[in-house]
Amino acid sequence: MSLKIQNLSGGYAGIKVIKDVNLTIEPGQVVGLIGLNGAGKSTTIKHLLGLLRMQKGSISLNDVKLMQNPSEFKKMVAYIPETPILYPELTLKEHLELVMLTYGLEKKQAWKRAHELCQMFRLDNKLDWLPINFSKGMKQKVMIVTAFLANADLLVIDEPFTGLDPLAVANLIDLIKEAVKQNKMVLMTTHVLAEAQEVVQKFAVLNGGTIQIEGSLDEIRKFYGLKPTDSFDR
Ligand code: ATP
């Protein structure tokens, strides 16, 4: 039971962006994928979600290979994008129902969980709202709620801490900690190391499309000669 990215190379229509990326996530592990703008973090995620064609390598989750069994693979993955993706014509309630259908969740139990999550993010009185009525931060919260509702084995989170109010950040951190206790795997990209440090056990640094080093934040700071007060992105 783990996520294994092996010798992954890929990018966009013939342009190689990531090269020989190797990354393993064990159950109960949160991995932070960091790196400068343009390092290839989002491209790696797009490969993991099956949105881009791999040029080389393999991705497997719990021994299910993405290339050989994409539908089974995708059912084990939930995604919180940096920019919320919602269906303009569906209400929040309908988005929740769609997740229940897609991930084959038992309805009664799923609705109990959906109400808990909506309450946590103050969305419980907005079930009939359409995306157009939500602010950007509220849309991000909807993405968080739907992703955690899915109860998938692997949670992929792109830049989770930007644009959220402090209460939502704290709630998200609590949900990630709860997911860890349930042996879920989490991959997050982030530039905000202070919050990430609370939940991330292993950071992997992408540099020019290749993972240059994996380790704790201290090990990474040492490798790059950064002081604890320095931001990684400087
Ligand atoms: P950021 O921190 O800014 O989000 P990132 O690490 O997520 O950066 P990517 O978005 O993966 O970086 O971009 C990696 C490289 O791929 C960059 O050189 C970028 O120009 C290129 N790239 C990204 N999207 C496309 C695309 N749709 N077509 C062609 N090249 C792209």
Side-chain angles (χ1 to χ4, degrees), residues 19 44 59 81 123 139 152 156 172 178 180 218 229:
K19 298 164 211 104
T44 305
I59 301 178
L123 294 169
K139 285 181 193 162
V156 180
L172 176 59
E178 187 186 292
V180 165
D218 281 347
T229 46

Side-chain angles (χ1 to χ4, degrees), residues 12 15 17 35-44 46 82 159 191:
Y12 307 87
I15 307 167
V17 171
L36 302 179
N37 294 131
K41 303 180 294 294
S42 299
T43 306
T44 305
K46 284 180 203 161
E82 185 180 4
E159 287 292 347
H191 292 282

Side-chain angles (χ1 to χ4, degrees), residues 4-233:
K4 288 195 181 96
I5 301 179
Q6 290 169 313
N7 300 319
L8 174 66
S9 296
Y12 307 87
I15 307 167
K16 193 181 268 190
V17 171
I18 52 171
K19 298 164 211 104
D20 287 319
V21 167
N22 287 290
L23 189 68
T24 300
I25 307 184
E26 302 293 345
Q29 195 176 35
V30 183
V31 172
L33 191 60
I34 58 177
L36 302 179
N37 294 131
K41 303 180 294 294
S42 299
T43 306
T44 305
I45 283 185
K46 284 180 203 161
H47 277 289
L48 190 50
L49 299 172
L51 301 175
L52 292 174
R53 188 180 286 271
M54 294 181 221
Q55 292 163 3
K56 207 187 86 187
S58 72
I59 301 178
S60 68
L61 179 56
N62 303 339
D63 293 326
V64 176
K65 284 196 187 308
L66 170 61
M67 289 299 281
Q68 283 165 12
N69 203 339
S71 56
E72 200 188 331
F73 185 99
K74 286 176 189 179
K75 273 195 177 175
M76 294 189 286
V77 183
Y79 173 48
I80 306 177
E82 185 180 4
T83 308
I85 308 164
L86 293 166
Y87 297 96
E89 71 283 8
L90 297 189
T91 62
L92 170 56
K93 182 169 180 263
E94 286 163 341
H95 276 91
L96 296 168
E97 284 170 344
L98 190 61
V99 171
M100 292 176 199
L101 261 178
T102 309
Y103 289 88
L105 305 177
E106 195 275 311
K107 275 228 164 156
K108 197 172 164 219
Q109 219 180 324
W111 266 115
K112 189 170 171 278
R113 178 69 171 153
H115 284 302
E116 280 168 13
L117 289 164
C118 285
Q119 258 172 18
M120 194 179 243
F121 290 94
R122 305 196 172 157
L123 294 169
D124 45 322
N125 57 349
K126 300 177 177 60
L127 290 178
D128 295 329
W129 286 28
L130 287 165
I132 198 166
N133 304 121
F134 289 111
S135 70
K136 179 164 179 287
M138 284 172 169
K139 285 181 193 162
Q140 267 179 274
K141 291 176 187 178
V142 171
M143 298 308 298
I144 294 171
V145 166
T146 51
F148 279 93
L149 176 63
N151 197 28
D153 289 345
L154 172 68
L155 193 58
V156 180
I157 320 180
D158 204 356
E159 287 292 347
F161 304 117
T162 32
L164 286 178
D165 60 55
L167 179 63
V169 170
N171 283 332
L172 176 59
I173 288 174
D174 284 348
L175 284 174
I176 294 171
K177 286 181 178 168
E178 187 186 292
V180 165
K181 281 192 194 140
Q182 293 166 357
N183 265 341
K184 307 287 186 193
M185 295 159 254
V186 182
L187 178 68
M188 65 161 76
T189 71
T190 185
H191 292 282
V192 188
L193 299 184
E195 273 96 359
Q197 226 182 159
E198 270 205 54
V199 284
V200 168
Q201 290 117 9
K202 176 174 86 174
F203 286 94
V205 184
L206 264 177
N207 189 357
T210 302
I211 293 190
Q212 197 167 34
I213 177 177
E214 280 185 21
S216 69
L217 200 52
D218 281 347
E219 286 165 336
I220 283 160
R221 286 197 170 117
K222 212 179 221 171
F223 182 83
Y224 290 102
L226 297 170
K227 296 191 209 87
T229 46
D230 287 343
S231 145
F232 176 77
D233 288 4

